[in-house]
Amino acid sequence: MQTGASEARISDLQVLRAVAVLAVAVTHLRGFLLPGDLPFFGRLHAYFSGSPGVDLFMVISGFIIARRLIPEIIGAQPGAFWPVVAHFWARRAVRLLPAAWCWLALTLALAIGFNASGAFGAFSANLSWAVKAVLLAANFQYVGVPDPSALGALSHYWSLSLEEQFYLALPFVLLAAAARPATVLVGLVLLQCLPLPGLELYWVPFRFTPLLLGVLLGLGQVRGGLAHLAPTFLAARRGWGFLALLLGSGCLVTLLGSSLQFVSAREANFLAAWCSLLLVWLASYDLKLFSVQPWVDRLLVGLGDRSYALYLCHMPTYCLCRELLHRFGGDLAPRSEAHVATALVLAVALLAAFTELTHRLIERRWQRAWAPGLAELGARKQAALRPSAGG
């Protein structure tokens, strides 16, 4: 769920990030900001679920990581592996951890001192999520839990831990599979598709399929095997690419709708991963397919740039809004239209502020602060790679 200089060049990917984070933020309105039994949510849930937005995030991440990492590991000199991995892990840590840990600390503080309504859930539950998130193991908290949303404001950290585990393992997978990377990656995808007895509790918190599909797409681009498949027919007519975005996104967010679901939840999630792969494939050629109007493009790309910050803060912000309305919204009848409207307006305002503050004061500042150290690691990596380039 990260952004960076390398992927910021592809504006269509940033548009997809915006779509993904909006889908997730909308689906978490239920239960975290507003009562889950409101009639509106019943009607919405029948045709909409934003949880596949996480799959879209993961396919994008796998694709971006693969484009950078595969050329540096596969075919490189043996001595170049650790400098490449050290630089890769350091970049991921600087990019992801400061903002994530900041929101862990803020949420724990609010759960202790600003939780009269119980909106943040029990402190012990939040502490458990936070400890596992710091240990890159928050997805283990999902195992065997029927309703993780009841455990507090940090349950969305499961997907961050899953990605971080993937980042730790991927260099070794690529090194071991250097001779046949595509075969190994396809095998891992197929392995996750198998209905293995006794492992049903584990497929949600350990579904690496979207990340693996993104890596496969990146591998195809790196090796030039997808150049002839560029969707130039969509770029030839203005608006066709944006229409494809609307259709693809519509299919993605309806796959888990209760009234439209014609397969099991597990099968629907696999379909969501493949639908996400299709969208990322369209975006990956940097054809500006999803461009519609300059102001819309700027809005969506800007939101995509801030998607990680918004993802981190949206659930704690929803809980904060509930607590604020509990303390200061006494004149609003619970569950009334005025109460719902006030909660939504307050949430949008606070999300906009917290997202921008997180993006500017934490993400950008930490990247600037660690830029010299990352540059030094990058220089060591290039020095290690140079003999293989010369050979």
Side-chain angles (χ1 to χ4, degrees):
M1 297 177 189
Q2 76 287 351
T3 58
S6 62
E7 60 265 37
R9 301 190 193 98
I10 303 180
S11 61
D12 282 346
L13 285 180
Q14 298 306 89
V15 171
L16 289 182
R17 292 184 196 276
V19 169
V21 76
L22 287 174
V24 173
V26 169
T27 209
H28 284 157
L29 291 172
R30 183 180 190 179
F32 288 99
L33 179 66
L34 298 169
D37 57 352
L38 287 177
F40 166 77
F41 285 120
R43 295 190 295 271
L44 179 67
H45 185 63
Y47 303 102
F48 172 87
S49 173
S51 59
V54 174
D55 296 273
L56 181 53
F57 268 130
M58 289 183 180
V59 175
I60 295 171
S61 295
F63 170 71
I64 293 299
I65 293 305
R67 286 201 316 162
R68 174 182 290 270
L69 200 57
I70 286 174
E72 295 178 343
I73 288 183
I74 296 180
Q77 295 284 351
F81 177 75
W82 284 112
V84 167
V85 172
H87 184 241
F88 170 63
W89 283 346
R91 288 182 68 251
R92 293 303 91 208
V94 170
R95 178 66 187 90
L96 299 176
L97 297 183
W101 288 358
C102 176
W103 275 102
L104 288 176
L106 286 172
T107 303
L108 288 177
L110 290 168
I112 294 175
F114 200 73
N115 197 22
S117 67
F120 288 91
F123 174 75
S124 58
N126 284 287
L127 180 62
S128 179
W129 278 102
V131 170
K132 287 186 173 66
V134 170
L135 297 175
L136 312 184
N139 50 332
F140 285 85
Q141 192 88 345
Y142 259 80
V143 177
V145 177
D147 184 17
S149 65
L151 296 181
L154 297 173
S155 56
H156 59 312
Y157 272 71
W158 76 270
S159 61
L160 303 181
S161 290
L162 183 66
E163 285 198 35
E164 289 154 352
Q165 292 161 15
F166 187 77
Y167 297 151
L168 290 175
L170 181 61
F172 299 100
V173 172
L174 293 176
L175 181 66
R180 295 179 176 271
T183 303
V184 173
L185 292 169
V186 170
L188 291 173
V189 171
L190 294 176
L191 182 64
Q192 286 225 310
C193 295
L194 296 176
L196 300 176
L199 297 181
E200 289 299 316
L201 293 176
Y202 298 91
W203 72 268
V204 172
F206 298 100
R207 63 176 196 264
F208 291 100
T209 303
L211 288 159
L212 292 168
L213 290 176
V215 173
L216 275 168
L217 180 63
L219 176 64
Q221 279 217 348
V222 166
R223 295 195 162 179
L226 301 179
H228 66 288
L229 297 178
T232 53
F233 64 97
L234 291 176
R237 293 173 173 82
R238 182 175 178 82
W240 280 36
F242 190 74
L243 179 61
L245 172 66
L246 294 178
L247 291 174
S249 302
C251 290
L252 188 66
V253 298
T254 56
L255 281 170
L256 291 175
S258 59
S259 294
L260 300 174
Q261 196 169 321
F262 55 90
V263 293
S264 68
R266 178 176 181 174
E267 292 166 338
N269 274 289
F270 281 120
L271 289 175
W274 285 96
C275 184
S276 299
L277 177 65
L278 178 61
L279 286 170
V280 176
W281 166 69
L282 290 175
S284 65
Y285 293 91
D286 199 17
L287 297 175
K288 307 294 187 295
L289 293 179
F290 303 152
S291 177
V292 55
Q293 291 290 339
W295 69 271
V296 176
D297 300 342
R298 288 193 297 270
L299 178 65
L300 291 176
V301 171
L303 183 57
D305 292 339
R306 293 158 177 78
S307 58
Y308 180 59
L310 177 54
Y311 185 84
L312 289 176
C313 74
H314 77 281
M315 282 172 55
T317 301
Y318 290 166
C319 296
L320 177 60
C321 291
R322 286 171 56 197
E323 178 67 20
L324 290 170
L325 290 174
H326 172 78
R327 290 173 180 253
F328 306 111
D331 295 336
L332 298 173
R335 308 170 66 87
S336 66
E337 291 184 2
H339 184 274
V340 170
T342 302
L344 290 172
V345 171
L346 181 61
V348 170
L350 290 180
L351 276 177
F354 292 155
T355 297
E356 192 64 21
L357 289 171
T358 303
H359 180 64
R360 291 181 179 272
L361 300 184
I362 302 176
E363 292 183 278
R364 287 185 175 180
R365 181 168 294 183
W366 275 87
Q367 288 181 68
R368 287 196 299 267
W370 283 92
L374 292 177
E376 182 178 348
L377 286 174
R380 294 178 185 175
K381 178 189 72 175
Q382 293 302 325
L385 290 171
R386 201 168 294 125
S388 63

